[in-house]
């Protein structure tokens, strides 16, 4: 009886593990990394024994997730599910979204390390429901709370919350109010919230908003962008970063990363966070701007290493070398 020749699988052929399908060549995964081996179940997913990070990345499952906040608004996000029970949440900044740098790059970096990530739009931003508000620090903290509670008990444990710019303030406010997350990363957050307003609203903004009740912000072409109400302005002015820092408990590790060439939020703000937060690591990234335009890889490396070297998960603290806790005014510079 004539034996049929076994068809050789090409690198571009699609393969399936459980519910996952991917092209072997799509993300540079070698067939030898997974072929001719029994599959094992890892966090409910079928994987080869001791899968390499590139394979986990190739098999990561991305899907749109909609979460309702306490105000009945739908928050839209993208879950990068690698099969790990660890989950990191990434928060965007002012007038930004989950699709902007560095949110996408950070999510991809964690995904490559086999750590699941969720990046989402705050209410009034991106795809999420609600109206955009100028201040909204407390409301966005509530949004983050809704997201954290959604994932608790859903095959994931939220191990870290990360925020860029205004999102950095939100994750710090969260840590000051709640006690369920023990690792926080503040990327270029603003300490002095009274600063930076005049640049957006113009001179005498307090007097003008008292008279009219609002200020309409326009771009350089004179096109309307958003309205700042007196209530939303006061939300920002009454948000106390100092009190929030002092309220963060010692068992919560905080990393602040700040670019030395940030022209939106001065580096001095990062130093203030360092002075007030008890369990704090500070990293000043040389040459980086507010969005880390030319320093995406460096930013991802610092943040991912900080999370991976979490002492709650690993007892060996010596691995954390990129950013050190300031000692007598010193801090690491990259």
């Amino acid at each position: 009886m004539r034996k049929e020749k076994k068809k050789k699988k090409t690198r571009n052929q699609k393969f399936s593990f459980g519910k996952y399908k991917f092209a072997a060549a799509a993300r540079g995964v070698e067939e030898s990394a997974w072929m001719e081996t029994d599959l094992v179940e890892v966090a409910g997913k079928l994987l080869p024994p001791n899968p390499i990070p590139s394979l986990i990345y190739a098999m990561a499952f991305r899907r749109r997730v909609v979460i309702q906040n306490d105000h009945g608004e739908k928050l839209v996000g993208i879950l990068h599910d690698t099969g790990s029970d660890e989950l990191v949440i990434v928060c965007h900044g002012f007038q930004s979204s989950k699709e902007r740098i560095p949110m996408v790059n950070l999510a991809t970096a964690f995904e490559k390390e086999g750590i699941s990530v969720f990046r989402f739009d705050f209410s009034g931003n991106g795809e999420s429901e609600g109206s955009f508000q100028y201040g909204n620090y407390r409301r966005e903290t509530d949004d983050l709370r809704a997201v954290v509670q959604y994932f608790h008990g859903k095959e994931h444990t939220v191990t870290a919350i990360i925020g860029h710019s205004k999102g950095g303030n939100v994750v710090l406010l969260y840590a000051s109010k709640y006690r369920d997350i023990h690792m926080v990363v503040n990327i270029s957050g603003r300490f002095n919230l009274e600063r930076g307003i005049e640049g957006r609203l113009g001179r005498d903004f307090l007097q003008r908003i008292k008279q009219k009740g609002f200020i309409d912000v326009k771009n350089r072409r004179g096109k309307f962008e958003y309205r700042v109400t007196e209530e939303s302005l006061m939300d920002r002015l009454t948000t106390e970063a100092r009190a929030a820092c002092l309220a963060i408990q010692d068992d919560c590790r905080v990393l602040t990363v700040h670019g030395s060439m940030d022209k939106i939020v001065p580096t001095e703000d990062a130093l203030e966070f360092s002075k007030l937060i008890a369990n704090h690591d500070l990293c000043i990234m040389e040459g980086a701007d507010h969005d880390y335009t030319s320093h995406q890889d460096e930013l991802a490396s610092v943040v991912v290493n900080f999370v991976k070297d979490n002492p709650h998960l690993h007892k060996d603290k010596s691995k954390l070398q990129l950013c050190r806790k300031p000692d007598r005014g010193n801090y690491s510079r990259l």
Side-chain angles (χ1 to χ4, degrees), residues 132-266:
F132 173 80
Q133 297 292 331
Y134 177 70
N136 240 27
Y137 288 86
R138 297 171 182 83
R139 184 79 170 259
E140 291 185 1
T141 303
D142 292 341
D143 285 351
L144 178 55
R145 180 62 174 170
V147 171
V148 171
Q149 289 184 315
Y150 174 86
F151 282 107
H152 274 328
K154 290 184 179 292
E155 297 183 356
H156 290 99
T157 299
V158 180
T159 55
I161 50 177
I162 302 170
H164 172 247
S165 193
K166 184 185 178 185
N169 291 92
V170 172
V171 296
L172 292 174
L173 286 170
Y174 184 98
S176 72
K177 186 175 181 179
Y178 303 102
R179 304 288 184 259
D180 54 346
I181 306 296
H182 299 283
M183 192 159 34
V184 175
V185 180
N186 160 37
I187 304 172
S188 304
R190 187 185 292 278
F191 180 82
N192 185 349
L193 292 174
E194 293 182 4
R195 193 159 46 189
I197 300 177
E198 188 173 294
R200 294 185 186 274
L201 306 186
R203 295 180 179 179
D204 303 322
F205 60 87
L206 272 176
Q207 182 181 349
R208 288 187 292 115
I209 207 166
K210 288 285 186 183
Q211 292 175 345
K212 199 173 182 179
F214 63 89
I215 294 176
D216 286 339
V217 178
K218 300 178 181 179
N219 61 20
R220 293 179 180 178
R221 297 180 179 179
K223 185 179 179 181
F224 173 83
E225 285 194 331
Y226 56 89
R227 172 167 291 185
V228 179
T229 63
E230 183 176 355
E231 180 183 5
S232 66
L233 176 61
M234 294 311 296
D235 178 275
R236 171 165 173 161
L237 291 175
T238 57
T239 299
E240 297 185 11
R242 179 184 179 83
C245 291
L246 293 173
I248 298 174
Q249 294 191 332
D250 293 357
D251 64 349
C252 178
R253 283 183 72 217
V254 178
L255 168 66
T256 291
V257 185
H258 212 102
S260 67
M261 299 300 290
D262 192 329
K263 295 182 179 179
I264 296 177
V265 180

Side-chain angles (χ1 to χ4, degrees), residues 271-287:
L271 302 178
E272 292 301 318
F273 287 123
S274 178
K275 293 176 186 176
L276 296 170
I277 299 174
N279 192 354
H280 188 272
D281 294 307
L282 173 61
C283 177
I284 303 297
M285 195 166 290
E286 292 289 353

Side-chain angles (χ1 to χ4, degrees), residues 292-303:
Y292 299 83
T293 307
S294 302
H295 295 77
Q296 288 297 308
D297 291 342
E298 294 93 329
L299 175 65
S301 177
V302 168
V303 175

Side-chain angles (χ1 to χ4, degrees), residues 69-84:
N69 65 14
D70 290 341
H71 303 280
E73 298 161 335
K74 293 179 180 178
L75 307 176
V76 180
I78 301 296
L79 175 63
H80 300 242
D81 192 352
T82 66
S84 72

